[in-house]
Amino acid sequence: MIQMKKLLVFFVALFASVLVYGQEYKTHTVEIGESIEDIARKYNVTPYNIYKYNPEVRKGLQVGHILVISTEMNLPKDVIKRLKKENNPKEEKEVYVRKPIRFEDYKVRRRDGYMKLERLFGVSESDIKKYNKQLYAEPLKKGMMLRIPVYPKIPENMVVADTVQVTGEIYVVKPQETRWSIAHRYGITVDSLKVLNPEMGEILSIGQELHVPIKTAIPFTTKETMEGDLDFIVYTVPAKENYFQLKQKYQVTEEQLKKHNPQLDSLGLQKGMEIQIPKIVEDTEAISSNNYMFYEIKPKDNFFQLKKKLGYTEPELRALNPIIAERNGLHPGMVLKIPRKQTFRFNVRNSQIVESFNMVDSISPMNHPKVALMLPFKSRDMAYSSPGEVEVQLKKSKPMFYSMGMYTGALVALDSLKNLGVNVDVKVMDTQGDVFAANKLLYERDFNEVQAVIGPLYNSVFAEVAKGLKEKDIPVFAPISSGGKIELDNVFYTMPNSAVCREKIVSYIQSYKKEQELVILVDPAETDELIYLKQRFPNARYLDLDLLKKPFDYIKRKFNPEIENWFLVHTKKASTLGSWVTVLNGLNSDKIKVTLFAYEKDKTFDYINNTSLSKLNFHFASNTKVSATNHPFAIRYKEKFGKAPDKYAARGFDLMMDVVLRLAYKNTIFEACNTVGETTYVESKFNYNKYLYSSYYNEGVYLMKYQNLRIQEVLPQNVELESNN
């Protein structure tokens, strides 16, 4: 036991040192001719150190690539001492920072190389490139004009300093940005970004601060002066390599290779020769979250798996992502881009495709979740002795009824968690449904070890509790609310809002509409909504509400009789909606196929019968789905309480399972929300995202449809789904 404690202390100290020193770093831009050993000697680190923090370079160095270099304090002292001795065997001298006193213009001649220029002017290849940055992207060419730096004589008691260290800066994550897009912006890989930000998480939050190197973009030659925006791969030719094989790998012709590697004209391809292979540099602005989503390759991914997950064949993925050819296939951590028009097929957060997450497989036995359940049980009003009287009181009070439903569902969840080996401490508190009682609980009860609070129900009481626990940074989950006046960063609204539902429907239409005719009807009072839809669907046919005043035959001509018509309606007027449903069913009877879409099935639909909606194959977004009576939860609930669960019991089960499993996985809700993608339980989905400087909201929403008088979920095509049932 004593040894185990010592071991734990050791690991704590180790991780603490990683956190303290993990953000001490330099960055280095790879130059032509440099090797890992050269760079390691330059920064007094080992090659292993560079490989450790830049695993991508095991595939080879690329000119212009930015490496993360750890500081000396990450290395053992004896190694530092040895490296310093190797790099500076003479006695220590004062460091002299060299600066050019003037520049000379030089026109490159035939057969000029860096060695010849070094003999002529006494300057190194790196000095020449430093003041002629186009040389980072292309070789020396006859006729090229260079600026050659002229340096003063170095005093005898001094040594020349290395390149000035590149310091880091803080970058604030903007909406729709991903780890890949930020790494791409700064010329580093996702792996390097992880090194600079060890607690970054898989999914970025808006407003999150990241450490990045100061951006030192290399000004590549533009399309106006060359065949395309060119970057280069430094490639070592293996034995028996030929031009045809290189073309298959890198889509580059023999003529292009010889143009950028003049030595090939006389020598040809030879084993061990290093050549520059040009590649098209994709425009960072063009590859953005506005037109692409991004998927990170997992360890067991292959093209067959990706076809099922993403719906794209191997040739399609290769055409979209030249990096696959550059790195000779798929590799874990590689990021692929997918056209954004297919949004509905995937679970997308900040433009990054995330798979449904099964936290049951990720439970840490070291974590011991502590949760508080704060609901308006109103125990003061339950001064009755018989169960029958209590039942009558519950039926009279909706808050009490909701609370008991959620509480009983949460009890079943706790039983399930216990079977999974998760030990949970739960404090159940009665808010009585008023602010005074809630404040009293905050004052009298100990919340110091509470990691999350589920509840209260009422918005006013919820706001008071959230504000009271903000100082302790305790997450507070609103059980049945999609938003409110309180917008603190410890607030989690667990019901998807109307904007999320709208995006679900719009994304589905954009993803799956092919030959169908899209017809849209928006209430004239909803001006902003009309503008939004016209931006998303500029080619759709928009109808006027006054069209209802016209004869049926006139309305009929507004629909295409040859193909299916998708009719999207947005109105808060029940009478208008009812009239259009009648008209649309009439069109269906006349063999004009119509499918009805709406953002949500709200109160506007209360007076429309299910038969009419089923005939129109009505599609809508929903924050819940009805679970089957033979679902394991329903069976366990009935065994425990003798009746079938209602929607509030299912909600209590889902919320308790999700909150506790997040804590069992990461031990903090905030860290879990940055890591975990979409989770699915009995009737609810949870996929939290964050408003900038504000609360969290849930993007987990179902797409449902009426079919044969039944409501069923519309599943994405060609996508594997997982759940936490």
Side-chain angles (χ1 to χ4, degrees), residues 102-124:
R102 69 177 189 276
F103 292 91
E104 292 184 1
D105 293 330
Y106 177 78
K107 187 175 182 179
V108 178
R109 301 172 184 173
R110 183 176 174 81
R111 299 187 183 279
D112 272 350
Y114 289 109
M115 290 183 64
K116 181 179 178 181
L117 294 178
E118 187 172 349
R119 289 196 302 270
L120 286 174
F121 298 102
V123 292
S124 67

Side-chain angles (χ1 to χ4, degrees), residues 313-329:
T313 63
E314 179 178 347
E316 290 171 332
L317 288 172
R318 286 183 178 275
L320 285 165
N321 300 274
I323 189 175
I324 296 174
E326 292 166 16
R327 295 186 59 184
N328 295 319

